[in-house]
Amino acid sequence: MKKLSVCLLVFVLTLAACSAALAAKKSGSLQPVDFTFKGAALGDTAAVMQEKLGEPDFDTDIVVLDQTVKCYVYSADLKVCTDPRTDRIVAFVCKDKEYKARDGVTYGATRAKLINTYGKADKEKRDGNLYYVYRNPDDERQKLMLQMEPTDYYVESFLITSLPLTEDELAEYEMGEFPAELFGGDDEPELNGGFNSKGEWWASYKVNDNVRIGI
């Protein structure tokens, strides 16, 4: 009886290990290419965008994730958006049903396909739409946001973006990029500042370790 119990225990443990290994194999993981679009990347300039994707039909201002951005329109199903302060890419908006991302993820891809390719996603609701959100582990400001059909849960569109989703990200985004020539050296700069999302300049000056004043 004791020998039978031991054999049964070994069998159960082996089965559990095999099940765990199979589950791990079925769950995918993120790769750097998942946060790019046809060779163009978040942070690229508009000039690089045109080298990679060609010349857009026209450009206009639109709102994406509550931020006003400059939108380069390639078609009704493809828009590339830049930060109007820097003209660097902050979003790819793709509704092209023929577009295929890594591992064949495309319009109509199911939740199972997404898990097999990317792993488990966070869920985010924006403007009445449901998104599965994947963050770049190397730079969490970069997101792959897949708009999902709310009943059958399949992919309807792709949004690859570095635009803010959280309050902390919003504060950082509104701060903008600070001109490098104003920094004094490798230590904490005496002068600090940037452009906010409205294009307004702000700055502060470090008097000492305890005092900083706005200018």
Side-chain angles (χ1 to χ4, degrees), residues 58-64 67-73 79-85 87 197:
F58 62 94
D59 63 78
T60 186
D61 290 343
I62 65 172
V63 175
V64 178
Q67 303 301 319
T68 299
V69 294
K70 185 175 183 179
C71 173
Y72 292 91
V73 180
K79 301 177 180 67
V80 181
C81 306
T82 64
D83 184 335
R85 300 166 295 182
D87 214 22
S197 60

Side-chain angles (χ1 to χ4, degrees), residues 94-115:
C94 180
K95 299 182 179 181
D96 183 358
K97 293 183 179 181
E98 301 302 318
Y99 170 68
K100 285 183 172 60
R102 180 171 62 87
D103 200 26
V105 173
T106 187
Y107 174 88
T110 63
R111 286 183 295 182
K113 176 66 173 178
L114 300 182
I115 291 173

Side-chain angles (χ1 to χ4, degrees), residues 113-133:
K113 176 66 173 178
L114 300 182
I115 291 173
N116 290 344
T117 304
Y118 304 124
K120 188 176 179 180
D122 294 325
K123 295 179 182 179
E124 177 92 15
K125 279 196 173 181
R126 286 274 175 162
D127 302 322
N129 297 316
L130 172 64
Y131 290 92
Y132 279 14
V133 181

Side-chain angles (χ1 to χ4, degrees), residues 13 48 79 114 116 128 136 144 156 181 190 203 206 213:
L13 292 175
V48 172
K79 301 177 180 67
L114 300 182
N116 290 344
N136 186 345
L144 168 62
E156 291 188 308
E181 60 270 18
E190 294 181 347
K206 179 183 176 183
I213 60 174

Side-chain angles (χ1 to χ4, degrees), residues 3 9 14-15 19 23 27 45 49 65 69 86 91 95 98 100 110 123 129-130 150 168 182 195 214:
K3 184 177 181 180
L9 178 60
T14 302
L15 183 62
S19 299
S27 180
T45 63
M49 172 197 75
L65 297 178
V69 294
T86 62
K95 299 182 179 181
E98 301 302 318
K100 285 183 172 60
T110 63
K123 295 179 182 179
N129 297 316
L130 172 64
D168 288 343
L182 295 181
F195 291 98

Side-chain angles (χ1 to χ4, degrees), residues 190-192 201-205 213-215:
E190 294 181 347
L191 182 63
N192 197 1
W201 173 262
W202 66 272
S204 65
Y205 182 79
I213 60 174
I215 57 175

Side-chain angles (χ1 to χ4, degrees), residues 28-45:
S29 60
L30 294 165
Q31 298 181 14
V33 70
D34 299 327
F35 303 92
T36 66
F37 184 86
K38 295 185 177 181
L42 295 169
D44 282 347
T45 63

